[in-house]
Amino acid sequence: MLLRIEDIDTVRCTPALEVQMLRDLEWIGFEWDEEPIRQSERFGIYGVHADELADAGLLYGSRLSRSNITGIVQEAEAQGQIWPRDPDGSPLFPGRAYEDEECDDRGAALRLDVRDAIAHAGRDLAWTEFGEGPDGEHGDVQASPKAWGDFVLIRKDTPTSYHLACVVDDALQGVTDVVRGVDLFHATSAHVLLQALFGFVTPAYRHHGLLMADDTRKLSKSERDTSLRSLREAGVQPADIWRMIGFAAG
């Protein structure tokens, strides 16, 4: 059992939050076998793999801001066009044609040309799901990376993205089974595509339920929701937490 500290956002991911997270995991009885690796210490590794995709012509620089994209979408919708949304509900990126081809990639985010990437993948894009997706998906699941459009692989402010970092680390750590929250179920489609591009083996996945707020939102620090520490102090037991996310007690 491996635990990984996914702290590529070095501003929000502070040492104090990491210490609290480890205490919370120990409290609910989660045990891991090796010293956790920290993604913030592995940016160079992710860069090497991103270069592979760039050399294959699958990445392009993107300088459009969120407000730029919103403006493009609003203009299209005002003309009666139905703009596609990704699984999280955000408008799909307009595409490579909207970028300034005269600009270089310095200081820009790098996006994956998903259509070209799918053609380049050279294998069926699917995974085995031992948990359950938001619509009851289980067993053999066909990946749908087009649902994300041309997603960001390298962020402007960070030399990687969650998608790239977790895919590379899963492969380099020899991960066979990924256990994570159901809010990341749809992201697996993007990850399966990247695994195919790099020639990585696709692990099995188990997506589990989330601790939910009273209004059915997932608990969030940004919304000042109750933390695991607060639940513990209120008398909630570890077995209660396991049941709440869909695992049998014990």
Side-chain angles (χ1 to χ4, degrees), residues 165-196:
C166 76
V167 165
V168 170
D169 285 339
D170 285 346
L172 297 185
Q173 289 188 280
V175 169
T176 59
D177 296 76
V178 175
V179 182
R180 61 188 183 189
V182 71
D183 54 326
L184 290 167
F185 177 84
H186 291 297
T188 311
S189 288
H191 300 171
V192 170
L193 173 58
L194 292 175
Q195 289 154 2

Side-chain angles (χ1 to χ4, degrees), residues 113-158:
D113 189 317
V114 170
R115 186 178 299 276
D116 286 353
I118 292 172
H120 194 84
R123 76 186 195 202
D124 184 42
L125 302 178
W127 78 90
T128 300
E129 177 62 52
F130 285 106
E132 188 172 89
D135 295 316
E137 299 93 338
H138 182 80
D140 294 333
V141 178
Q142 196 68 30
S144 303
K146 285 183 180 179
W148 291 103
D150 292 351
F151 57 87
V152 172
L153 203 74
I154 300 292
R155 292 161 48 177
K156 291 180 181 179
D157 56 344
T158 305

Side-chain angles (χ1 to χ4, degrees):
M1 180 67 75
L2 304 179
L3 172 66
R4 188 163 64 222
I5 309 299
E6 297 181 337
D7 58 347
I8 62 172
D9 187 336
T10 56
V11 175
R12 295 176 60 193
C13 300
T14 65
L17 287 177
E18 180 181 323
V19 169
Q20 186 59 56
M21 180 196 72
L22 295 177
R23 287 175 178 168
D24 289 340
L25 291 175
E26 289 171 347
W27 171 65
I28 65 172
F30 184 85
E31 299 178 355
W32 53 95
D33 296 317
E34 298 178 9
E35 185 71 18
I37 67 170
R38 288 168 177 77
Q39 291 185 331
S40 60
E41 300 172 353
R42 298 167 63 82
F43 289 149
I45 295 173
Y46 310 137
V48 169
H49 286 81
D51 287 344
E52 288 185 32
L53 301 182
D55 291 343
L58 299 177
L59 301 184
Y60 63 91
S62 175
R63 296 182 183 277
L64 291 182
S65 65
R66 289 186 180 180
S67 60
N68 293 148
I69 297 170
T70 298
I72 293 170
V73 172
Q74 288 178 342
E75 182 177 348
E77 290 181 333
Q79 297 175 3
Q81 181 177 342
I82 299 176
W83 199 275
R85 257 65 176 175
D86 67 24
D88 290 336
S90 299
L92 291 192
F93 184 72
R96 200 167 192 162
Y98 284 84
E99 296 291 350
D100 185 352
E101 294 293 340
E102 298 300 319
C103 293
D104 59 36
D105 294 340
R106 288 177 295 181
L110 295 181
R111 291 182 180 272
L112 182 70
D113 189 317
V114 170
R115 186 178 299 276
D116 286 353
I118 292 172
H120 194 84
R123 76 186 195 202
D124 184 42
L125 302 178
W127 78 90
T128 300
E129 177 62 52
F130 285 106
E132 188 172 89
D135 295 316
E137 299 93 338
H138 182 80
D140 294 333
V141 178
Q142 196 68 30
S144 303
K146 285 183 180 179
W148 291 103
D150 292 351
F151 57 87
V152 172
L153 203 74
I154 300 292
R155 292 161 48 177
K156 291 180 181 179
D157 56 344
T158 305
T160 186
S161 64
Y162 171 74
H163 300 307
L164 176 62
C166 76
V167 165
V168 170
D169 285 339
D170 285 346
L172 297 185
Q173 289 188 280
V175 169
T176 59
D177 296 76
V178 175
V179 182
R180 61 188 183 189
V182 71
D183 54 326
L184 290 167
F185 177 84
H186 291 297
T188 311
S189 288
H191 300 171
V192 170
L193 173 58
L194 292 175
Q195 289 154 2
L197 294 174
F198 290 128
F200 295 157
V201 173
T202 295
Y205 289 84
R206 176 170 179 140
H207 291 91
H208 61 73
L210 304 175
L211 299 181
M212 307 299 288
D214 292 339
D215 58 1
T216 72
R217 291 179 297 103
K218 68 176 182 178
L219 296 182
S220 169
K221 293 186 294 294
S222 63
E223 297 289 342
R224 300 182 181 274
D225 286 323
T226 304
S227 64
L228 280 180
R229 180 175 61 181
S230 298
L231 292 173
R232 179 173 72 247
E233 292 171 350
V236 174
Q237 297 300 308
D240 299 325
I241 301 297
W242 288 110
R243 280 192 293 269
M244 290 166 73
I245 65 174
F247 286 90

